[in-house]
């Protein structure tokens, strides 16, 4: 069985030392309750639950998978999954960050991000069920009518019910404008929803009393394309406006998919056949509500990336220390043993440091983004809320894109360290690769993240988030250019940040001349942005490590990993810059 | 089901137009028979067999896998595999490139490389069975006694028997010096072989009358480490020196592995319990014989990389053309359709061109290397044979390392083009990713290839192969610097080749000062070498396309892909150069 130990020490380092979250949270509305003691207690308890309950179900859940029963249209989840969910709901985890009005605990989003990381490290497939509930909760909180909040939110927050996002259709994947599901009005204000949705995570399962589907559909008078999409709530069991549960609604799973990984997660074909649904928000404005769900979900998927990489790192590091194979090139390290440990070989260390650089840097990025969500929601100052919101919305595609792509590299390297043993199911490394492969695809592919970043967050919004972020980096560099602890990193960081700004200008200009340049640049621009972003968080981590609670050795490890990152990973920005500058002319039509 | 159509047009382009193989082969010993008509006929027939017989068994073989029966210690291969092998043996494919003395057809290795590509595209898992037979044939041909050749070679060449390479043990993976299997002499000159071997491809199956295991073991008087390893031939059924088959030998499969992919390939634990074996070559010199097997196998594994990438490319290109999703950023391409094809999006073209650049460039590299094997074996001039041998041995780790790592990237991008559908088993793309994942591991990991390249082929052999190759590139650049067709590529190629030479000098110097620098540089040096090597073959391809049989459109496609490669892939060498220069100091011990 693969190891998992929650990286509490590094989580606290990111939270308190790098981000100073104690002070930030303390001055937000309601923040007086969010003391370090409380946060630490939650982290400890989360570690216990995830290490002991979810982590042991990871391999068995993969081996067993979900089973669909055609006769009853029900899905049986792997052994132990349902019971783990019961404990999760009982422990109050479902409502950790939800508003207290609806039974939640109202704890900070940044705490939710760290506990989410533990869940996904422990069991990525299992973690998808509550992830979808969070998305549904967010959408209902922001866009639902009062009765909808009253009826649906409390059971979701308590974990008695779960949620889904029903977006994709066979002909409508990245392109939601093509969707065909119809919603026709009934005299009582409800709608009859008819259509087929695919790839619906947690669409059917045995965890909960009811499932709340948030469905994108077209009303009869809908304009064509993405401007004619509405969102409806369609529960598995009908629910009256007074909250009483009625009979089975006309929505059912028609099949589950056989997938490369996340086999414990039920990915369903959902058939809606004049199912009763209720409009959420105004007609034809469903995409706005969807983006509310989607934004939170995208950050969560970025966190999945660092989570699966964290567990792959733990296991490959442990193996590299224990496995004796070949001698160090400069002579035996362990002359009394038949060979030296794999860590004696520099390229094995390269593969380990690659994982560590992405995982620990990515953890700061994810926590920083989540902290912006807290500031946006609860800062006293309107300008501060606005800035935080802009930073968050700018960083979401970067975090999702970079951390999910990095997870491909990290899980690949982790498997590689095991040699042929990595390819054998019993060692568990190949499951990490298979599980991780979904995350660059769902909640918007890397390509969609890149277009969101460059097309929307940079071009349409005049790069507001980037300006804030570059300003912050610039202030950091100016404040620390003479600081011995970090000055080796400040120089290259300042240059990279300057290049980022210049490159953005250049891309914006060429895209105005030819919109195809935007599509040709977007993914490379996403990587470029991601690598500079991590460089910033690595420089901050080195600075924060000085004077932190970290041991001398752990401080040195932070410096070492930052040094590795700046020397061997950050130079990748030059390849991406070259690709962007080469432009669409180098991406001709294929014969 | 996934598509597969043998890329005969591009194979012929590589063979005749780029490499001028017709003239090269024609002047080798026995080359008068190897006419273009003959080669073309073999390619056509190989295409038919692989498209019609092996390709349709690829998905079913993955779904079904191999089954081990404990009671009989036998392995049942997936439905259709055995019958396909019968047709393969009957068609004479097993002995295509084997010497005529032993029933082979004596056809060129370069033809073997192209037909091997087709087999591996059609069915990577199936292709592993004959691959191992080839390795065993090579080792017996070069190192066996006369009676061993008489007895074992003909049935292997005819495909009635198959072979294995029994190297790995639980504690001895990359480090064969640690192996423990013993071989004790019998009075009749045979040996009793005892030990456990793991990861033995084709160790047990239902294809053949007998299985010829080539086993690494230690004799009683063996020196410790890798200088005390001998090779023995241990058949599943005993064979007398007169060729008569006797009773079952004491070797049996103890289990098969459950793997991430290549599930149709039986990967066995093999238990030898005083099994009768015969020494091949001199005592304690088994590694030399093993490298004979290994070198051919390593090139074959590089070919597996381009083969699986070729099929992934065919399927993702087809999907990208048919799948309508989103509009082109500069306005609708197909206004009458609900959306534009995926190929309208520049980043999808980037993913397709990445695959094409590696596949078509890699095909020339593999064919070039195989042609060196032909020259080494059959050129009239001793110096020409020596040079070809040095080139081949230099290019093998590059071809194996680069083409297998590129296959990870190609299959990943191919899956990505399918979006969420790529993650679903029925589309077949995820199988390519799973199957491809083994090839950076077996027959020496990428790390082992890198150490072979830098430690052995560059440092120990004074870079003889590199000198030949850089000389060839230099001559090409000088001859074509004024040639309008390729001059845009000649400049950057000449610079990259110059940098390659300089970097080699620098690495050699720093490694002499500190051997750990060699380990810190090796993998990045491998990538650097690989990217420059492909740049050379792309420049040659553009030149060859002029005046070739290719259509105007296909010539343009060659120029386009070369342009893409030079603009967007080749710049990666700068990252690898930076990493090499950063040195071992940036790869510290991990806390």
């Amino acid at each position: 069985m693969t190891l998992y130990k929650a990286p509490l020490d590094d989580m606290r380092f990111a939270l308190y030392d790098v981000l100073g979250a104690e002070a930030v949270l303390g001055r937000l509305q309601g923040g007086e309750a969010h003391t370090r003691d409380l946060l630490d207690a939650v982290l400890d308890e989360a570690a216990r639950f995830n290490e002991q309950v979810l982590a042991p179900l990871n391999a068995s859940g993969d081996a067993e998978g979900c089973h669909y029963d055609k006769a009853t249209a029900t899905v049986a989840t792997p052994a132990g999954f349902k019971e783990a969910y019961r404990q999760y709901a009982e422990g109050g985890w479902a409502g950790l960050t939800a508003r207290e009005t609806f039974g939640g605990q109202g704890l900070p989003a940044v705490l939710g991000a760290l506990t989410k990381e533990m869940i996904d490290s422990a069991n990525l497939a299992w973690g998808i069920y509550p992830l979808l509930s969070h998305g549904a909760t967010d959408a209902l909180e922001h866009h639902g009518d009062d009765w909808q909040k009253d009826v649906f939110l409390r059971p979701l927050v308590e974990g008695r019910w779960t949620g889904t996002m029903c977006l994709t259709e066979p002909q409508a994947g990245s392109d939601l404008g093509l969707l065909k599901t119809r919603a026709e009005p009934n005299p009582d204000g409800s709608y009859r929803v008819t259509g087929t949705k695919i790839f619906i995570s947690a669409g059917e399962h045995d965890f909960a009393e009811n499932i709340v589907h948030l469905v994108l559909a077209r009303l009869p008078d809908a304009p064509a394309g993405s401007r004619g999409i509405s969102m409806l709530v369609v529960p598995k069991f009908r629910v009256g406006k007074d909250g009483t549960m009625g009979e089975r609604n006309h929505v059912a799973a028609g099949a589950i998919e056989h997938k490369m990984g996340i086999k414990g997660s039920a990915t369903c074909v959902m058939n809606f056949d004049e199912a009763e649904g209720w409009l959420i928000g105004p007609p034809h404005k469903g995409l706005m509500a969807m983006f509310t769900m989607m934004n939170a979900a995208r950050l969560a998927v970025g966190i999945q990336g660092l989570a699966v990489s964290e567990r792959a790192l733990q296991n490959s590091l442990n193996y590299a220390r224990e496995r004796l194979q070949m001698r160090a090139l400069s002579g035996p390290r362990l002359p009394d043993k038949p060979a030296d440990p794999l860590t004696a070989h520099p390229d094995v260390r390269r593969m380990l440091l690659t994982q560590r650089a992405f995982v620990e840097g990515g953890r700061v990025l994810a926590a920083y983004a989540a902290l912006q969500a807290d500031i946006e929601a609860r800062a006293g100052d309107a300008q501060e809320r606005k800035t935080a919101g802009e930073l968050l919305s700018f960083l979401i595609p970067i975090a999702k894109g970079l951390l999910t792509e990095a997870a491909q590299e990290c899980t690949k390297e982790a498997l590689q360290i095991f040699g042929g043993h990595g390819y054998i199911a019993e060692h568990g490394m190949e499951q990490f690769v298979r599980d991780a492969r979904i995350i660059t695809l769902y909640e918007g592919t890397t390509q969609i993240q890149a277009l969101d970043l460059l097309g929307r967050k940079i071009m349409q919004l005049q790069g507001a988030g980037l300006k804030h972020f570059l300003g912050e980096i610039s202030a950091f560099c100016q404040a620390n250019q003479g600081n011995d602890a970090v000055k080796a990193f400040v120089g290259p960081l300042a240059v990279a940040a300057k290049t980022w700004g210049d490159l953005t200008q250049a891309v914006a200009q060429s895209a105005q001349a030819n919109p195809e340049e935007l599509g040709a640049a977007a993914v490379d621009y996403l990587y470029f942005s991601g690598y500079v972003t991590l460089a910033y968080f690595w420089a901050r981590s080195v600075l924060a490590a000085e004077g932190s609670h970290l041991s001398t050795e752990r401080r040195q490890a932070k410096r070492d990993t930052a040094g590795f990152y700046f020397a061997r990973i950050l130079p990748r920005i030059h390849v991406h810059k070259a690709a962007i500058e080469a432009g669409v002319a180098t991406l001709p039509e294929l014969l």
Side-chain angles (χ1 to χ4, degrees), chain A residues 45-264:
Chain A
E45 187 56 23
R48 195 202 58 76
F49 174 74
N50 287 297
E51 289 169 4
Q52 295 177 16
V53 179
L54 287 183
L57 300 173
N58 192 50
S60 58
D62 178 63
E64 188 182 339
C66 290
H67 292 92
Y68 175 73
D69 180 62
K70 196 167 180 175
T72 57
T74 55
V75 171
T77 57
F81 270 41
K82 181 179 174 176
E83 167 60 19
Y85 185 79
R86 193 191 60 71
Q87 292 183 45
Y88 171 88
E90 271 189 17
W93 296 108
L96 190 76
T97 58
R99 289 200 205 161
E100 284 148 308
T101 327
F102 305 109
Q105 301 190 46
L107 284 163
V110 69
L111 187 68
L114 294 171
T115 55
K116 177 72 183 145
E117 184 201 314
M118 293 188 215
I119 293 171
D120 293 330
S121 287
N123 201 318
L124 192 69
W126 188 95
I128 292 167
Y129 296 92
L131 189 158
L132 273 298
S133 293
H134 282 291
T137 303
D138 284 349
L140 283 161
E141 244 186 62
H142 286 90
H143 303 281
D145 291 346
D146 285 343
W147 79 264
Q148 291 170 338
K149 293 184 194 176
D150 288 341
V151 163
F152 293 110
L153 277 180
R154 188 166 287 272
L156 280 170
V157 166
E158 290 174 358
R160 289 187 288 115
W161 298 0
T162 65
T164 76
M165 296 163 54
C166 296
L167 280 49
T168 305
E169 299 179 10
Q171 79 293 346
S174 294
D175 191 351
L176 290 172
L178 300 178
L179 68 82
K180 292 179 178 169
T181 295
R182 303 185 315 276
E184 290 169 292
N186 293 321
D188 67 352
S190 68
Y191 288 80
R192 299 186 303 283
V193 178
T194 302
T196 297
K197 296 286 182 178
I198 62 169
F199 301 165
I200 306 310
S201 295
E204 176 61 36
H205 56 75
D206 49 15
F207 285 10
E209 300 161 19
N210 204 358
I211 300 175
V212 180
H213 302 289
L214 297 194
V215 185
L216 295 185
R218 292 186 185 285
L219 307 189
D221 58 343
S226 59
R227 291 199 175 83
I229 296 174
S230 302
M231 180 179 279
L232 296 100
V233 55
V234 182
K236 176 178 170 184
F237 288 93
R238 290 187 188 178
V239 186
K241 289 194 174 180
D242 59 355
T244 54
M245 243 165 80
E247 75 269 42
R248 191 75 157 73
N249 205 347
H250 294 155
V251 49
I256 60 172
E257 304 290 352
H258 297 96
K259 308 185 299 292
M260 182 181 191
I262 53 164
K263 296 192 180 199

Side-chain angles (χ1 to χ4, degrees), chain A residues 13 540-550 554-555 558:
Chain A
F13 172 70
R540 278 188 66 172
S541 295
V542 170
L543 184 67
E546 304 300 307
S548 73
H549 76 285
L550 292 186
R554 292 265 294 126
R555 286 185 206 180
K558 286 290 175 193

Side-chain angles (χ1 to χ4, degrees), chain A residues 4-17 36 38-52 93 111 113-119 121 306 310 314 359-360 363 549-550 554 558:
Chain A
Y4 178 62
K5 184 131 183 49
L8 287 172
D9 193 48
D10 199 63
M11 287 182 164
R12 292 191 176 114
F13 172 70
L15 191 59
Y16 304 126
D17 297 304
R36 185 158 176 162
L38 176 65
L39 303 188
D40 279 345
V42 173
L43 289 174
D44 287 339
E45 187 56 23
R48 195 202 58 76
F49 174 74
N50 287 297
E51 289 169 4
Q52 295 177 16
W93 296 108
L111 187 68
L114 294 171
T115 55
K116 177 72 183 145
E117 184 201 314
M118 293 188 215
I119 293 171
S121 287
L306 87 93
E310 165 70 37
Q314 289 188 18
V359 167
E360 296 186 1
R363 180 172 292 130
H549 76 285
L550 292 186
R554 292 265 294 126
K558 286 290 175 193

Side-chain angles (χ1 to χ4, degrees), chain A residues 497-537:
Chain A
K498 169 78 166 58
T499 311
W500 192 4
D502 294 346
L503 192 61
T504 306
Q505 296 278 345
V507 169
Q509 274 179 11
S510 70
Q512 265 158 0
N514 176 6
E516 297 292 336
E517 291 290 358
L518 195 149
V523 166
D524 285 289
Y525 183 83
L526 173 70
Y527 277 108
F528 188 103
S529 305
Y531 288 128
V532 182
T533 300
L534 279 204
Y536 168 56
F537 288 121

